[in-house]
Amino acid sequence: MPAVDLPEIEFWFDFGSTYSYPAAVNIEKLAEVHGLAVKWRAFVLGAIFQEQGWPDSPFNIYPLKGRYMWRDMERICQTQDLDFNRPTTFPRNGLLAARVTSAAEGAPWLGSFVRQIFTANFVLDLDIADIDVVRSCLEVLDLDPNPILDAAAAKENKDALRTQTDRAKQLGIFGAPTFISNDEIFWGNDRLGQAITWAKRDA
Amino acid sequence: MPAVDLPEIEFWFDFGSTYSYPAAVNIEKLAEVHGLAVKWRAFVLGAIFQEQGWPDSPFNIYPLKGRYMWRDMERICQTQDLDFNRPTTFPRNGLLAARVTSAAEGAPWLGSFVRQIFTANFVLDLDIADIDVVRSCLEVLDLDPNPILDAAAAKENKDALRTQTDRAKQLGIFGAPTFISNDEIFWGNDRLGQAITWAKRDA
């Protein structure tokens, strides 16, 4: 069964986004069960926040929302038996990891890489903007990091990520994670199941 | 089995809040199935938004969020076979209906009244700030509206609603609907199931 025939679910995420972490852990398994192909769409959420007048994560700007989110993340990860440690820096800059994701579109190891980066940020409390951290996330998958990091740093790839963030804006995306399923937007980790079902509506 | 013995779930809502509508329709049935008592906690969400620097609903201030919300509400109501018509005015002022809710604490008809008001706003597109609309929501339940509206308008009751909104702030509530279950906050209609489960944790 060639992957090209499967209905798709687009997963739009930022590596600094807390709720993107459980979604990233779960989406590939769920998609497989339901016969869907995952399209990994990293983007720069900060650029969208800035257009809404937020120079920082709304979880930092609005302390009540922030306090709730951290407790909510604990509960979600406990329920799912998922390791979670509140990062000492939030939000972390996921630009480099997003560039790797963009450069590696279609690679069979991409889902594993995405999960490694989220684990680095939200379990190991590592600075995912540090190229050595990104390098180790590739090495642990038995990949040679150098050609991948070179491709990530190429001008065409930087432009491709910028275009992808622009596309997020055009799609009306305002937060992460967001799923695009059958041309409709579903926002938030707790909508993953609904987005999966929606992808199969006309299938 | 006296109601006083049941574990409780607090339902914090504003009659102008879209996502409070499906929660209000479902919570009493769900609570009954799970052996919980619902505490109806109307409050003035606008007062909390103002403290966060929002003079209007964030769904009006941030058009992307607003556009998503209206489509999301359609999907939710379709899935649940719930009538829904986008109100011509949003958000509507639910102060009078909230005062009735506060004055009627513990009344056996309170859940039915709450649902009547939400139906007036989100199905019939009526101005729920109009005393005649509130009156008709009481009459349809075979209640005499006059003593209830008098109690709602009494100074002590107006003060009680103000105190309730202050309590919402102290609890860290920043949106509606919010559920308080076993001393924890759950925000959003899609967390109703989780909040119900949480209420029974130590039961």
Side-chain angles (χ1 to χ4, degrees):
Chain A
M1 187 165 55
V4 76
D5 287 327
L6 297 178
E8 291 178 356
I9 182 165
E10 293 184 28
F11 174 44
W12 290 79
F13 63 97
D14 183 295
F15 285 106
S17 147
T18 43
Y19 289 109
S20 294
Y21 163 48
V25 170
N26 292 316
I27 191 166
E28 208 162 38
K29 283 179 293 188
L30 268 170
E32 197 183 346
V33 169
H34 291 270
L36 303 175
V38 177
K39 294 285 163 183
W40 304 89
R41 306 281 194 232
F43 71 110
V44 180
L45 181 56
I48 286 178
F49 282 166
Q50 269 171 0
E51 291 206 344
Q52 293 179 55
W54 298 330
D56 193 355
S57 164
F59 294 127
N60 291 336
I61 297 173
Y62 304 107
L64 289 181
K65 274 181 115 86
R67 192 173 68 185
Y68 174 77
M69 179 274 286
W70 291 114
R71 174 61 187 136
D72 194 40
M73 277 296 297
E74 281 179 358
R75 284 192 306 233
I76 290 168
C77 293
Q78 271 172 18
T79 306
Q80 302 189 10
D81 251 327
L82 207 58
D83 290 330
F84 176 70
N85 294 300
R86 179 173 170 169
T88 47
T89 302
F90 176 81
R92 283 214 167 93
N93 182 341
L95 181 61
L96 175 59
R99 284 179 177 158
V100 171
T101 304
S102 166
E105 190 173 340
W109 48 266
L110 185 49
S112 301
F113 169 75
V114 168
R115 290 186 289 274
Q116 286 293 333
I117 295 285
F118 275 111
T119 300
N121 192 4
F122 292 110
V123 182
L124 305 174
D125 193 22
L126 296 173
D127 180 8
I128 56 168
D130 182 339
I131 195 165
D132 289 333
V133 170
V134 176
R135 188 184 298 275
S136 71
C137 287
L138 291 163
E139 282 169 346
V140 83
L141 302 173
D142 283 327
L143 298 163
D144 177 2
N146 292 326
I148 297 169
L149 290 170
D150 286 349
K155 184 183 177 305
E156 316 85 77
N157 184 58
K158 290 181 178 176
D159 289 346
L161 182 61
R162 223 170 276 126
T163 303
Q164 184 129 296
T165 299
D166 287 342
R167 211 190 123 217
K169 290 178 199 170
Q170 285 154 14
L171 287 166
I173 289 174
F174 53 89
T178 293
F179 313 99
I180 307 275
S181 173
N182 245 325
D183 296 324
E184 295 228 11
I185 292 184
F186 295 83
W187 172 50
N189 171 57
D190 40 22
R191 297 304 175 83
L192 174 54
Q194 194 188 6
I196 293 263
T197 307
W198 205 264
K200 299 168 74 182
R201 249 167 96 93
D202 302 323
Chain B
M1 187 166 54
V4 75
D5 286 328
L6 297 178
E8 291 177 356
I9 183 165
E10 292 184 28
F11 174 44
W12 290 80
F13 64 97
D14 183 297
F15 285 106
S17 147
T18 44
Y19 288 109
S20 295
Y21 162 49
V25 170
N26 292 317
I27 192 169
E28 208 163 39
K29 284 180 291 189
L30 269 171
E32 196 183 344
V33 168
H34 291 271
L36 303 175
V38 177
K39 294 286 164 182
W40 304 89
R41 306 282 194 231
F43 71 110
V44 179
L45 181 57
I48 287 177
F49 282 167
Q50 269 170 1
E51 291 206 345
Q52 292 179 53
W54 299 330
D56 193 353
S57 163
F59 294 126
N60 290 335
I61 297 173
Y62 304 107
L64 290 180
K65 274 181 115 84
R67 192 172 68 185
Y68 174 77
M69 179 276 287
W70 292 114
R71 175 61 188 137
D72 194 39
M73 276 297 296
E74 281 178 359
R75 286 192 304 233
I76 290 168
C77 293
Q78 271 171 17
T79 306
Q80 303 189 8
D81 251 328
L82 208 57
D83 290 331
F84 175 71
N85 293 300
R86 179 172 170 169
T88 48
T89 302
F90 175 80
R92 284 216 166 93
N93 181 341
L95 181 61
L96 175 59
R99 284 179 177 159
V100 170
T101 304
S102 165
E105 191 174 337
W109 48 265
L110 185 51
S112 301
F113 169 75
V114 168
R115 290 186 289 273
Q116 286 294 332
I117 294 285
F118 275 110
T119 300
N121 192 5
F122 292 110
V123 182
L124 306 174
D125 193 22
L126 297 173
D127 179 8
I128 57 168
D130 182 337
I131 195 166
D132 289 333
V133 170
V134 176
R135 189 184 297 276
S136 71
C137 287
L138 291 163
E139 282 169 347
V140 84
L141 302 173
D142 283 327
L143 297 163
D144 177 2
N146 292 325
I148 297 169
L149 290 170
D150 287 349
K155 184 181 178 307
E156 316 84 77
N157 184 59
K158 291 181 179 176
D159 289 346
L161 181 61
R162 223 169 276 127
T163 302
Q164 186 131 294
T165 299
D166 287 341
R167 212 190 122 216
K169 290 178 200 170
Q170 285 154 13
L171 287 166
I173 290 175
F174 53 88
T178 292
F179 313 100
I180 307 276
S181 172
N182 246 324
D183 297 323
E184 295 227 11
I185 292 184
F186 296 84
W187 172 50
N189 171 57
D190 40 22
R191 298 304 175 83
L192 174 55
Q194 194 188 8
I196 293 265
T197 307
W198 204 265
K200 298 168 77 183
R201 248 167 96 94
D202 303 323

